[in-house]
Each structure stands twice: as C-alpha cells, then as structure tokens.
Amino acid sequence: MKKRYLVILCACVCCLLSGCGKEKISYENTYVAGQDFQYMYYGAAYEFGLTTAETEEGYYKLMENYILYTDKETMKTVPLCGKTDCLHEKETDPSKKGNCNAYVDTKDGFLYLCQNKLYTMKEVVEEDQNQKMVIYFELYEISLDGSKRNKVCTLKEDNVELWLIHRGKMYFDAKQQGKDEKMHPVLKSVDLKSGKVEEIAFWEDLYEGCVEDFQAYGNYVYVYIFGLNREVDRETEDAEDPKDWADAQVDCWLAINIQTGEVKELFAEAFKKEKKYPQSICFWQDHLYYDYIDANWKTRKESVVYKCNLDGEQEEEWMTIDSSYKYTADEEYFYLYNTWKESVAEGKETPTIWVYDKQGKEIDTYVIPEANPYSNLTPGSKDKFWLTAGSEDGTFRALAYQEKGKMGMHKGEALQMQICYEMEIDTNNTTVKED
C-alpha cells in the first residue's frame, strides 16, 4: 500500500513538471495563483507565515520538519519522498533523518510556493575560528517532487525574522545598525533567480520596535510596525496613565508597492486623531478588510469591519461584529469565527463559523466541535478547510481537512474533519545529519 501511494505521488508531480517551465511574473493588482503569497492559508493561531502550499494537483504541508503531499484526486497524504526504503519521520536514527527527501531543517516551519518551486529557510549555527558562535540563514528551493534541492542564497549579514515569498522574491525583515549605533528594523528582498539582496525600507527613526505582522497581496507587501519613536521614561511603564509611552508609541501598517517602491502608511488619520489602529488585516475580492482597536477595546462589545482599496483609499463600512470575533477569507467567501470569545472558551456559547458571499449576505453556518482546537482552522482552498492539531505533550500531530461542500446547505451542521495523516514525534531524538 505504501509503494502504491508513492507511485501516485511521483506520477502526479512528474505530470505537473513536464512541459511547464517558469513563466514570467504577472503584476496584475489581484491574486495570481502559483506565484503569489497564498493569503487564504494565513491566519492560523500563533503562526506568522505559511505552512501550507497549494498547486492545481495537490497540497503541500510542512509539519514537524517533514513536507507532506496530498493528492487532490485521491486525498491520500504521503511524505514528499520517493525513496522506497525510506522510513521518513519513523526513522529512529537521528543521523539518518536528513537522508529523507521530505525532511527539511527549517528555522520556523514556514513553507512557500512560487512558480512550481517550494521554499524553506534554514538557520545555521556554527563556531568561527575564534570559537565564537555565528548564526546565519540559507534559503532553499525544492522541486515539487522533493528530489531536487538548491540553495538560493546565504544571508550572513542579516538576522532574518519574519519572511515570505511573493512574485519571484523573498521579502524579509531584520535588524540593522543605524547612525546612532543602535539596531532598527529594516525590510529587504531577495531575487529568487539571482539571489541578489536589496534594501527596501529602513526605519532608522524607530527608536525601538519590530515588525509584528507581514503579508502580501497583488502589487503590495504589507508590514505591521510596532514600537517607540523616541526614548521614554521606563518608570512610567506601569503607571495608571503612562502618557509618555502613549505619545511615543508607533503602531502602523505600511503598504509597499513592489513595482514603484512607494511606501505608504495606512490608516494614518485614525491613529493620529483617535489613537486607534487595525491590529490584523485580511484580503478578499481585491480589497483590504480590517477593524480598529482603540483604548477601550476591553469594554467594547461591537466592532465595525471596514474595507478599502489595496492602497488604503476609499474606506467604507462592511459589517458590524462582536469585538472578540476573528475573520478570514478565501477566494470566494468571507468567514467570521467566534472561537476566540471568552464565553465560547467557558462553554457558554457554541463555537461557530459564519459564511458570507460577495454581497455581504450570510449564506451558511458551521458548528465547530468543542473538543478540537479549531482556532488553527484556515479558510484554505475553494473546497476544503484545513487543520493541524496535536497533543499537549508534543508527541503527536495530525493533519485533517473538512470538505466545504455546497455553501448554503449546511445551516449549522457540525464540521466533520477527515484525518489524512498522523505523525508520532520522538522528542528525544533531535540531532539530525543532512547529506
């Protein structure tokens, strides 16, 4: 049975690779499948990058340093390795784990797709000639069948933090020393073909801070900056009215046009006038969606979700929601979740997903079984929700999906997740030798 699944994997991927060389990057200001940041797989709890990639033929999932492949026709999931004698994640000898084509040593567990290639980032730790620890990063390009792996570039100058792949480039944020000899956030890009590194933006006026969110859509890369624009009195940090901190606070979303290089601050008027700002954003139907957070967020019961153009212009109200609800979207539908609400956690309300069409009309609802950690449920593809779950002790992980079916027909039905892969994790064997 195992060999049959491997044959399915190789046949599907080889079919995909034949006769389809890299196409030129499209710069339409909309989502372009196969080359863009796959926003519909973003938004899982505590993840600030993508761990899933989708092609026309299948799905790729990076889980516990192994790339899993799920064929769309059969929905059978196997490690991305065609070696018939390989034990994959079941290998107990740490020195042999690196021999598996599905194994990748990643710094953060992120996986991206661009033009029929997969991309992962490796953190390298070694000692220099003075026995001083040195840390640097390597970006790898992997073929869709897992058999080929090439190093795109080595980044020794930058301490890579968040990163993503979008339209032929890797974008990442790091820290860079300014004229004041202090470290400040910087945004850079790497060309996936040449490996050339370019600086896009350097926030030298940010006294201290970091990039806390990082996404892309169309011709824009979106960066969420949080920090202070000057030194403040540390003794006021815990005061009842730390006005000095409030005045120095920087909270902003920036939209960077990857064609023109223009950097534009979004929602600036709302922050300057009322000290309110969007903490999270999502994309849908070539628009940006967000709701504002203000000083009274703890007592606020309702929140307005707004939408605007991708450059932040023409803001308008979209819907009013409970302030504790979260929202995401795929290419067709807008989803509202109540899974972060305290009353849901306490068992007083039923965990639910509401589905909205392009006209903003509620067309369906799903009930989420309380026993499962569905806060990690992403919108995913047009046909399926995707979920990864695990045991509290870290020794077990599972990949599961839910068929979306025909929207408008569920009317509060409970999600029935289909487990397509289970993985036992040996937390004792951590040393891996790669060839």
Side-chain angles (χ1 to χ4, degrees):
M1 187 65 70
K2 177 181 175 183
K3 291 183 178 180
R4 177 174 174 269
Y5 290 168
L6 290 172
V7 170
I8 292 173
L9 167 63
C10 294
C12 290
V13 175
C14 288
C15 178
L16 172 64
L17 292 176
S18 61
C20 58
K22 284 191 175 182
E23 298 178 357
K24 289 185 177 180
I25 294 294
S26 169
Y27 287 97
E28 293 181 73
N29 202 21
T30 185
Y31 174 72
V32 181
Q35 65 168 39
D36 285 8
F37 175 82
Q38 294 186 328
Y39 68 94
M40 65 289 295
Y41 287 99
Y42 187 80
Y46 313 115
E47 291 182 0
F48 293 94
L50 300 184
T51 62
T52 306
E54 180 183 354
T55 65
E56 292 183 3
E57 281 71 26
Y59 307 95
Y60 295 82
K61 175 69 177 182
L62 181 52
M63 191 164 72
E64 297 298 325
N65 283 4
Y66 286 88
I67 301 176
L68 305 177
Y69 176 77
T70 304
D71 176 68
K72 284 186 176 181
E73 278 193 27
T74 64
M75 289 308 295
K76 300 298 183 183
T77 302
V78 294
L80 189 67
C81 178
K83 297 180 179 180
T84 57
D85 59 344
C86 186
L87 297 176
H88 314 305
E89 82 280 1
K90 295 179 177 62
E91 176 61 68
T92 57
D93 184 347
S95 65
K96 295 181 179 180
K97 285 183 179 290
N99 296 331
C100 176
N101 284 346
Y103 180 85
V104 287
D105 184 6
T106 69
K107 87 176 202 69
D108 43 29
F110 295 165
L111 178 72
Y112 291 94
L113 171 80
C114 187
Q115 294 185 303
N116 294 324
K117 299 290 184 182
L118 300 170
Y119 293 88
T120 62
M121 180 79 68
K122 179 181 180 180
E123 180 180 80
V124 181
V125 182
E126 59 186 23
E127 290 185 349
D128 61 15
Q129 57 186 7
N130 299 317
Q131 295 186 325
K132 182 180 179 181
M133 184 182 296
V134 177
I135 300 175
Y136 59 92
F137 302 89
E138 296 174 340
L139 178 66
Y140 282 89
E141 175 185 88
I142 303 170
S143 62
L144 292 185
D145 64 356
S147 64
K148 297 180 181 178
R149 190 172 305 190
N150 299 311
K151 187 190 301 182
V152 177
C153 66
T154 299
L155 299 168
K156 291 193 174 182
E157 302 288 324
D158 301 291
N159 183 19
V160 178
E161 296 183 353
L162 296 179
W163 64 285
L164 58 82
I165 300 290
H166 184 68
R167 301 202 165 181
K169 291 187 178 182
M170 180 189 82
Y171 295 88
F172 68 94
D173 78 281
K175 290 292 192 337
Q176 183 170 292
Q177 186 171 305
K179 295 177 182 178
D180 58 1
E181 297 186 353
K182 295 182 179 180
M183 305 303 286
H184 305 276
V186 63
L187 181 67
K188 296 185 178 183
S189 69
V190 177
D191 188 281
L192 297 181
K193 290 184 178 180
S194 66
K196 182 180 178 182
V197 181
E198 291 185 349
E199 182 179 308
I200 297 175
F202 180 40
W203 295 281
E204 194 169 9
D205 57 343
L206 195 64
Y207 175 74
E208 62 178 58
C210 60
V211 172
E212 292 205 342
D213 204 348
F214 197 28
Q215 302 180 54
Y217 188 96
N219 286 327
Y220 292 93
V221 169
Y222 297 86
V223 183
Y224 174 38
I225 298 284
F226 178 82
L228 301 170
N229 58 22
R230 58 177 171 77
E231 188 171 5
V232 299
D233 182 1
R234 293 286 176 181
E235 295 182 0
T236 66
E237 181 176 357
D238 297 319
E240 292 183 5
D241 184 24
K243 187 174 184 300
D244 192 35
W245 279 71
D247 291 342
Q249 182 176 321
V250 175
D251 248 306
C252 64
W253 275 96
L254 304 175
I256 301 168
N257 189 308
I258 61 176
Q259 282 192 294
T260 66
E262 179 187 5
V263 179
K264 181 178 181 180
E265 182 177 346
L266 304 178
F267 327 117
E269 288 301 312
F271 182 74
K272 290 176 182 177
K273 291 180 179 179
E274 305 176 56
K275 282 291 181 180
K276 64 180 186 178
Y277 54 92
Q279 191 171 19
S280 61
I281 61 174
C282 80
F283 309 102
W284 190 43
Q285 303 294 318
D286 298 336
H287 284 81
L288 197 58
Y289 289 78
Y290 52 94
D291 67 319
Y292 287 110
I293 289 179
D294 55 35
N296 298 318
W297 69 272
K298 289 185 177 180
T299 57
R300 185 186 51 169
K301 294 183 178 181
E302 290 187 341
S303 181
V304 176
V305 178
Y306 295 87
K307 78 171 184 177
C308 66
N309 294 340
L310 295 176
D311 61 359
E313 298 295 327
Q314 297 185 358
E315 178 183 86
E316 62 181 85
E317 292 187 12
W318 166 244
M319 68 167 67
T320 300
I321 64 173
D322 185 294
S323 60
S324 62
Y325 286 8
K326 301 296 178 182
Y327 45 88
T328 52
D330 59 21
E331 293 184 72
E332 294 293 326
Y333 300 105
F334 188 90
Y335 303 94
L336 195 64
Y337 303 76
N338 69 350
T339 49
W340 284 45
K341 196 172 183 180
E342 287 187 16
S343 58
V344 172
E346 295 169 356
K348 298 176 182 178
E349 288 189 41
T350 303
T352 305
I353 300 176
W354 291 268
V355 185
Y356 296 83
D357 65 12
K358 297 175 183 178
Q359 287 71 45
K361 180 182 177 182
E362 181 186 316
I363 61 169
D364 217 341
T365 56
Y366 292 93
V367 170
I368 307 173
E370 295 182 53
N372 297 311
Y374 281 92
S375 57
N376 279 340
L377 191 72
T378 57
S381 66
K382 293 180 180 179
D383 305 319
K384 298 170 181 66
F385 294 107
W386 284 91
L387 168 78
T388 51
S391 59
E392 292 184 4
D393 61 4
T395 60
F396 175 81
R397 293 292 299 277
L399 177 64
Y401 65 92
Q402 159 74 42
E403 295 284 356
K404 290 181 178 177
K406 187 175 181 181
M407 288 300 181
M409 302 295 291
H410 302 90
K411 305 302 180 184
E413 290 179 358
L415 287 175
Q416 300 295 326
M417 304 302 294
Q418 305 290 320
I419 295 178
C420 56
Y421 202 83
E422 297 175 303
M423 183 183 292
E424 292 184 4
I425 302 160
D426 185 354
T427 56
N428 295 318
N429 292 332
T430 57
T431 304
V432 175
K433 180 181 178 181
E434 292 190 78
D435 290 341

